Structure formats: structure tokens, C-alpha cells
Amino acid sequence: MIIKKFSKQKNGMYKLLLEDDSNVVVHEEYILKNDLLLTKEIDKEDVNNIDKINNNYNAYDLALKYIGVKYRSCFEVHEYFLKKEVDKVVIHEVIEKLKSQKYLDDMVYARAFVNDRIKFSNNGPYKIKRELEENKISNMIIEEVLAIFDYSLEREKLDKLVPKYVKTIRNKSSMMMRNKVCEYFSNLGYTKSIVLDILSSVSYDEESARLKEYNKLHNKLSRKYSGEELEFKIKQSLYKNGYK
């Protein structure tokens, strides 16, 4: 069909006045791709399917803006499209297009993700693995990109982190301190056996910690109790913190 007139609209859209005096609104990328400014002719079949064509271009633009902020996984883009109520067929087509153009690549995403977590967080390999799994990265990719986080690197990070964390624990027995440290670093995704090995060489003055805790409890509880009852309450609280 012959195009009689082009009128620029908002958001990169153009209104076309056709030879039968009907109007159709198309995305500017469609115009450029099909050289409509030169041919001044649009395929009739495309006119009938213009909504789907525009939806594809609009979704593509939406995705480019989304991944322009930071690199995304295919799953993140898929979920973003769903929130924007993009048609599922369009979602599939646009994601495949972005993948073919290398705007989306889960291997590239996963490798960058792991490097960032290693450099800028205290997360261990198992937590990073869980995060990648949440983004639906395949096990094959996860296994490959996490190979960098080997025993030596995990040990190197824990050699710095464990002693620093132990210093923040001031009122626990050795047993409670060890349990607390293991729980903390397990939640961060580190190997328990490595944590325990490092803990065995970290000095912890339990008697000093017990004395400080005793004095703190004495000052607090002596406002309500005295004598044997005070000593009983103090011992009871110390027992809760693992002191015998």
C-alpha cells in the first residue's frame, strides 16, 4: 500500500496516512528497517499485523533500557517483561533476538556476577551458587564460572574474615563463639570445615570474656537481686551463653 504522508508521534512512533486514507501507527525502527521513507510503500500483510510488530519493537526498546543500567540474565529480562505485561510470545521472540545479538548471554552474566561477588562482597561460593540458581542460570554454567572460587581463594578470604568476626563476639563461651562463627559463615556460603580449621588457630580469651560478662550481669542484676539469689541469676545467664 502506498504511503501518502508520515507524521512523527511520541515515543518513536510514526503515523502513516495510506492511499485509502486510512491511518496506521508504526515504530520508527520498522520504517528504517524497511526503507519506507524511500519506497513510500508498506506491505498490506504488515498493516494487518502492525500491533504485533509494534509490540516487538516496543518490548525490544524496553529491554535495551533495562539492560542498559546493568547486565542482566535472561531470566531477569523475562521476569521484567512479565511485570510490564508484555505478551508471552513477544517475550520469547525478543529474548531470542537479544541473545542472537549478544545483548543477553547467561555465561557472560554469570562470570561477571561471580567476579563482582568475589571483589565486592563477603559471600562464599555456596551463597553465590544459590544466587545464580535463583536467576535460573544452568548448572553447567554455574559449575564453570565458580571454578575460580576454589579452595585457595576461599581459604584466603576466610583467613581475613574469621579473625575479624571473632573480635566482634565479646560475651560468648568458646563453644558458643564457635557455633556462632560457623553459623555466620555457613549463611555466607562458606565451607564449614575450612572455618573450623581457621578457628583452631584463632586466639580467644574465654576467661576474659567470662569475667567481662560476669561484671556486666552483676551490675545489671544487682539492682533487683542480692546475695545467693544474685549469684544464681548471674550463673543462670552465664550458662545460657555457654559458660560452665
Side-chain angles (χ1 to χ4, degrees):
M1 297 183 71
I2 302 299
I3 302 170
K4 295 167 65 177
K5 184 179 180 182
F6 295 83
S7 300
K8 188 174 178 63
Q9 308 292 297
K10 294 180 179 179
N11 301 321
M13 305 298 285
Y14 278 80
K15 180 187 286 187
L16 310 184
L17 176 63
L18 305 181
E19 58 184 317
D20 62 357
D21 288 331
S22 63
N23 291 297
V24 60
V25 177
V26 301
H27 195 282
E28 63 182 350
E29 287 299 322
Y30 174 83
I31 292 176
L32 295 173
K33 181 180 179 180
N34 294 277
D35 292 326
L36 298 191
L37 293 173
L38 293 175
T39 63
K40 291 186 169 51
E41 189 171 349
I42 185 171
D43 188 273
K44 187 173 183 179
E45 185 177 345
D46 281 355
V47 172
N48 295 331
N49 293 294
I50 202 65
D51 286 342
K52 183 178 183 299
I53 293 170
N54 287 336
N55 286 340
N56 270 270
Y57 281 118
N58 288 331
Y60 181 79
D61 287 347
L62 197 64
L64 289 182
K65 290 177 182 177
Y66 183 57
I67 64 181
V69 177
K70 71 171 187 174
Y71 206 81
R72 308 281 183 175
S73 67
C74 294
F75 175 73
E76 284 179 303
V77 173
H78 182 274
E79 294 302 290
Y80 179 71
F81 276 153
L82 289 180
K83 289 179 182 178
K84 295 295 184 179
E85 300 182 342
V86 177
D87 181 83
K88 290 183 178 180
V89 175
V90 173
I91 291 176
H92 175 75
E93 291 177 355
V94 173
I95 286 180
E96 288 304 309
K97 180 179 179 180
L98 291 166
K99 286 164 67 177
S100 70
Q101 296 174 329
K102 301 300 181 183
Y103 285 121
L104 287 180
D105 187 323
D106 277 353
M107 176 62 82
V108 174
Y109 168 85
R111 189 174 287 117
F113 186 93
V114 171
N115 286 328
D116 281 350
R117 286 295 188 271
I118 290 173
K119 290 179 182 178
F120 305 116
S121 83
N122 291 330
N123 293 351
Y126 296 106
K127 183 170 184 179
I128 295 173
K129 181 182 179 182
R130 290 195 297 270
E131 291 174 319
L132 289 171
E133 288 173 342
E134 289 170 1
N135 275 308
K136 309 302 179 188
I137 304 301
S138 72
N139 289 331
M140 181 184 71
I141 291 177
I142 292 175
E143 184 176 344
E144 182 172 339
V145 298
L146 268 179
I148 188 177
F149 211 145
D150 58 10
Y151 172 86
S152 61
L153 179 57
E154 189 174 358
R155 177 86 194 203
E156 180 185 338
K157 289 179 75 72
L158 285 172
D159 276 335
K160 297 176 182 177
L161 294 172
V162 171
K164 186 182 294 186
Y165 184 68
V166 169
K167 289 180 180 179
T168 68
I169 302 170
R170 304 182 185 281
N171 65 334
K172 306 294 182 185
S173 67
S174 294
M175 180 188 71
M176 292 285 282
M177 178 274 290
R178 187 183 69 172
N179 291 341
K180 190 174 180 65
V181 170
C182 285
E183 180 184 12
Y184 178 77
F185 285 102
S186 290
N187 289 336
L188 281 178
Y190 288 96
T191 306
K192 185 177 180 180
S193 60
I194 302 177
V195 175
L196 288 172
D197 187 42
I198 293 171
L199 268 177
S200 66
S201 61
V202 174
S203 62
Y204 185 74
D205 190 347
E206 181 175 5
E207 187 55 38
S208 176
R210 185 184 187 282
L211 181 60
K212 288 179 181 178
E213 183 64 7
Y214 178 90
N215 290 333
K216 186 177 76 172
L217 289 168
H218 188 280
N219 290 335
K220 178 181 178 182
L221 296 175
S222 61
R223 300 167 191 167
K224 294 178 64 177
Y225 309 102
S226 61
E228 292 184 1
E229 188 177 14
L230 173 60
E231 286 300 313
F232 174 77
K233 292 293 183 180
I234 292 174
K235 288 179 180 179
Q236 190 177 46
S237 294
L238 286 172
Y239 180 79
K240 288 180 181 178
N241 282 325
Y243 295 107
K244 296 180 181 179

